[in-house]
Amino acid sequence: MSHGGGEDSVDPDLTPLLDLVMQLLMFFIVNVNFVKEAVSQDIELPISSSAKAISKGDTGAIFINQKSGRNKRFFNSLSEKNQARLRNAESIILVPGLNPMSPLEAKGWLRDRYADLAKRNEAKARETMIHFRPDGDLELNQLFLMMEFCKAAGFKNLKIRAKVKKES
Amino acid sequence: MTKHLSKQQRVKRDESKIVLPITPMLDMTFQLLFFFIVSFNPADLEGAVELALPSEKQTAAPKDVTPEKPPELEDIKFESNLTVKVRTQTDPETVGEISAISILDNNAKEEYVQPSANAGRQNPLLVGLRENLIKRREMMSDNKESIKIQGDGRLKVARIIKVMDACREAGFNNISFVPPDDFRK
């Protein structure tokens, strides 16, 4: 009986393992999303079983995120300056790139925005889509108020966004 | 005939082999992989709620509207068979939640929805609403499946969306939201 001495070393084949590592890396690289859509992470959208997925071709759309002004946790997360300005606001409008606004401030902003768009192209301004992203706890009054302001400014196409309910 | 290499030639050949250090490259690969795993954040799928907003043609004669000014939301009348009214609580603890749901038909006859006994984990009022609407829809003729939903001003948006879902599950696809009674008051 002989016990084989120096020929028992087993070198694991790393090639398939590395192939898998590369596959994983490619998956995560492809799915990374550095620049989120113009949405606010503070908004907890309502869930709807009838919400339909939107095609991503809407590059000129305006996103209006709206949070209830009674949400103390969110209100306290704002800067002191914003808190002083929005203390009496029933709801807070969040548009990416701008400071949080009260509904009246948002009304003025919408009017100016429509005027800017209309200067370049009137027809395109009228067709600009407004995506409302209301927080689930937002009061209905406030949502309708913002919709009215959008219509008064000249925007005709409005959509309300919700999370698509996953079928279990 | 075998070719014999001289000692000098053999040394030169050995010296010209370039060995690529793979280990640091693999370290970098794992670093990258770790970064992307940590920053991976699959977002929930968002969609648009399909609802019918009033067109300009359905406008009733508003009180004071100049040609340039679009009509106010509350001045616009909706053609609908049924109206679902959703009421909410007013006390600070439960404000915004559904307290009662009623259905009005075109004869202004109002019927309060009874909570369903078969609701399970769902809201009994919403299940009761769905059951009631299914019965009503069976008695309707075709092409009369429009419904409007009106909630109290302080009702939460999430609750009215659930009411809309219940109406859609009952087979009503043409759903309109109308402003609350206390809107702008």
Side-chain angles (χ1 to χ4, degrees), chain A residues 52-58 63 131 159-161, chain B residues 45-48:
Chain A
K52 296 210 172 133
I54 306 170
S55 61
K56 290 193 176 183
D58 216 344
F63 287 83
H131 291 272
K159 270 187 183 165
I160 297 177
R161 293 184 92 158
Chain B
L45 187 61
E46 280 186 28

Side-chain angles (χ1 to χ4, degrees), chain B residues 59-90:
Chain B
T59 308
K63 292 163 199 165
D64 54 313
V65 168
T66 59
E68 295 82 38
K69 186 184 166 193
E72 301 282 351
L73 275 176
E74 62 256 33
D75 294 332
I76 295 172
K77 297 234 181 285
F78 296 81
E79 295 295 331
S80 169
N81 304 114
L82 298 173
T83 305
V84 174
K85 287 201 161 191
V86 189
R87 288 178 178 79
T88 184
Q89 312 274 9
T90 50

Side-chain angles (χ1 to χ4, degrees), chain A residues 18 21-22 24-25 27-29 31-32 34 36-37 39 45-54 70 133-145 147-149 151-152 156 158-164 166, chain B residues 22 26 29-30 32-33 35-37 39-41 43-51 53-54 56 70 72-74 150-162 164-165 168-169 177-180 182-184:
Chain A
L18 291 175
V21 165
M22 293 299 171
L24 277 172
L25 189 60
F27 169 76
F28 286 112
I29 289 172
N31 283 303
V32 77
F34 289 115
K36 290 255 177 214
E37 224 177 5
V39 297
L45 284 179
I47 301 172
S48 172
S49 55
S50 46
K52 296 210 172 133
I54 306 170
R70 295 172 206 271
R133 296 186 78 250
D135 188 68
D137 288 343
L138 180 70
E139 290 175 0
L140 202 56
N141 258 336
Q142 295 302 309
L143 177 64
F144 272 99
L145 189 67
M147 286 168 69
E148 193 179 86
F149 288 162
K151 287 201 164 224
K156 301 291 176 214
L158 311 175
K159 270 187 183 165
I160 297 177
R161 293 184 92 158
K163 271 190 223 172
V164 176
K166 288 173 194 170
Chain B
I22 294 286
L26 289 177
T29 304
F30 281 112
L32 277 172
L33 185 63
F35 168 76
F36 284 117
I37 288 172
S39 63
F40 185 60
N41 184 15
D44 289 317
L45 187 61
E46 280 186 28
V49 168
E50 293 215 345
L51 54 92
L53 292 171
E56 305 294 330
E72 301 282 351
L73 275 176
E74 62 256 33
Q150 185 179 39
D152 281 350
R154 297 197 71 181
L155 186 69
K156 289 180 183 175
V157 168
R159 305 297 171 258
I160 201 102
I161 296 285
K162 292 271 182 237
M164 188 201 72
D165 285 346
R168 217 175 272 282
E169 284 162 16
F177 280 134
V178 296
D182 52 353
F183 180 54
R184 297 280 234 167

